[in-house]
């Protein structure tokens, strides 16, 4: 039963990583840039939901939607002000800008909300289930997190494969120049991608704070890095790959903490990533792209 408990904990944690990684992989797949400020958008979503529910007394679902709206506006604003002027710049310039935006959001959060930890209230309460004669304890938020991540992946797969804007995203991912010649508004498509990524960050932030109820201005920093690792692990640019990478990363982390060492769990996660990339550099579900000259 202990093994099953750790497995469920790993699935729920991995589902959070998967939702964050989906935001990373969407932006990288279409815009070909690594938005390292993504983790801090998670933190902003957590704070908006916290104040909406605790200070303003709004219902949990309303606070979640408010966090999504604010994060979408924030994500699109970041893309327009920080990344759009660098559309044709080098990858290094974009990377440095992303790190700068990340520190800007963290310090702005400290000025606005101080660095004192906030105790987050779960959006689904603290209900627990005890199946198998009470031998197994499962929290409702863990079940909701796994279910939400599965629904999000299914919706994103449908969206990118069946809708007009989704097909435009895939076209921009393949060849941005040719897409523009075919009449696709590349700037609008990239903005929509950032909006989707920011919405996913808000959902992940609320679910993560519901599961681990401590909120600070640096809350999204380490989960953001681990989710980026999950995206690379599964194959960055692949929606199923981000999902698979996130879930596997969560399971590995929980089992490493339970059976090896809590201090070495992060090290073990990154060692596994290195070993996988040595064998398959494109990630588990990534595909090798041949550049034609």
């Amino acid at each position: 039963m202990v093994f099953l408990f750790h497995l469920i904990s790993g699935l729920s944690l991995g589902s959070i990583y998967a939702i964050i990684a989906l935001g990373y992989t969407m932006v990288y797949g279409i815009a070909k840039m690594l938005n390292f400020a993504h983790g801090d958008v998670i933190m902003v979503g957590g704070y908006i939901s916290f104040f909406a529910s605790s200070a303003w007394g709004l219902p949990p679902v309303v606070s979640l939607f408010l966090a999504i709206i604010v994060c979408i506006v924030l994500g699109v604003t970041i893309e327009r002000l920080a990344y759009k002027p660098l559309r044709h710049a080098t990858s290094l310039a974009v990377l440095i800008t992303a790190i700068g935006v990340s520190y800007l959001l963290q310090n702005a959060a400290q000025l606005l909300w101080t660095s004192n930890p906030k105790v987050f209230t779960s959006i689904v309460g603290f209900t627990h289930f005890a199946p198998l004669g009470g031998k197994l304890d499962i929290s409702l938020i863990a079940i909701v997190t796994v279910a939400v991540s599965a629904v999000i992946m299914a919706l994103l797969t449908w969206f990118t494969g069946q809708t007009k804007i989704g097909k435009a995203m895939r076209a921009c991912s393949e060849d941005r120049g040719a897409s523009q010649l075919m009449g696709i508004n590349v700037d609008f498509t990239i903005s929509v991608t950032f909006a989707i990524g920011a919405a996913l960050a808000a959902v992940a932030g609320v679910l993560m704070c519901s599961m681990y109820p401590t909120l600070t201005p640096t809350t999204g920093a380490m989960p953001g890095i681990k989710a980026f690792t999950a995206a690379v692990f599964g194959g960055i640019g692949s929606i199923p790959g981000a999902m698979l990478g996130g879930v596997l990363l969560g399971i590995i982390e929980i089992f490493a903490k339970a059976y090896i060492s809590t201090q070495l769990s992060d090290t073990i996660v990154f060692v596994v990533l290195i070993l996988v990339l040595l064998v398959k550099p494109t990630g588990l579900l990534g595909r090798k792209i041949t550049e034609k000259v």
Side-chain angles (χ1 to χ4, degrees), residues 228-235 241 245 248-249 252 272-273 276-277 283-285:
F228 171 69
T229 302
V232 175
F233 189 15
L248 288 178
L249 199 76
I252 292 169
V272 171
L273 170 69
V276 169
L277 293 181
L284 295 176
L285 299 182

Side-chain angles (χ1 to χ4, degrees), residues 41 67-77 191 194-196 198-200 202:
V41 178
I68 291 173
I69 292 170
V70 171
C71 285
I72 287 174
V73 173
L74 177 62
V76 173
T77 302
S191 294
F194 268 84
I196 293 173
L200 295 177

